[in-house]
Amino acid sequence: GRLVDVCRECVMLSSVEGVVRCLDAIERDSEAVLVRAKNRLDLDFDSAYSAGYRDVALNLCLSSELTRSLHVHRHVCEVQLILLPFARLKSDEGHKRYVQFRNARAE
């Protein structure tokens, strides 16, 4: 394995349409290089694997003149696109419970 999300940011959106618009903007950004996407909003996603939590998690690199000059253009960061109702549930305590759940599953 490799470490991929030391840098993580959460974008809170009020609707699925907002998530789609945000994904479209990231896709059009020539400096954003998508490495992996996890769509936990997909109706086929079994939320039992995430303790009911849902989001779209993107692992990406930023490749620009600046990031290449700093030699960080291959650094993988995570951007979580989350709907407001899930964001409200996501708290320090809620995240602790999720980590305990994930660790119990040995993930």
Side-chain angles (χ1 to χ4, degrees):
R2 66 181 192 168
L3 187 59
V4 295
D5 64 354
V6 172
C7 176
R8 180 183 301 148
E9 190 59 51
C10 182
V11 178
M12 292 176 270
L13 301 144
S14 60
S15 67
V16 172
E17 292 79 18
V19 172
V20 171
R21 285 193 304 274
C22 189
L23 286 167
D24 187 51
I26 292 169
E27 182 181 33
R28 288 192 323 266
D29 187 332
S30 63
E31 294 179 354
V33 179
L34 185 63
V35 175
R36 180 177 69 167
K38 288 184 188 177
N39 182 0
R40 290 184 276 247
L41 292 178
D42 189 314
L43 296 176
D44 291 332
F45 175 73
D46 183 355
S47 64
Y49 290 105
S50 63
Y53 179 77
R54 292 185 175 268
D55 68 1
V56 175
L58 306 173
N59 291 127
L60 53 89
C61 298
L62 297 177
S63 183
S64 66
E65 187 176 321
L66 175 62
T67 60
R68 286 187 297 275
S69 73
L70 295 171
H71 303 286
V72 295
H73 61 288
R74 292 189 180 152
H75 176 86
V76 179
C77 59
E78 182 172 277
V79 176
Q80 297 172 340
L81 308 180
I82 182 169
L83 293 170
L84 285 173
F86 289 102
R88 289 185 189 109
L89 295 174
K90 188 178 180 180
S91 63
D92 288 338
E93 198 58 38
H95 185 70
K96 286 178 189 174
R97 284 191 306 272
Y98 170 70
V99 170
Q100 289 170 342
F101 170 81
R102 187 182 63 198
N103 290 344
R105 294 181 56 88
E107 293 179 12

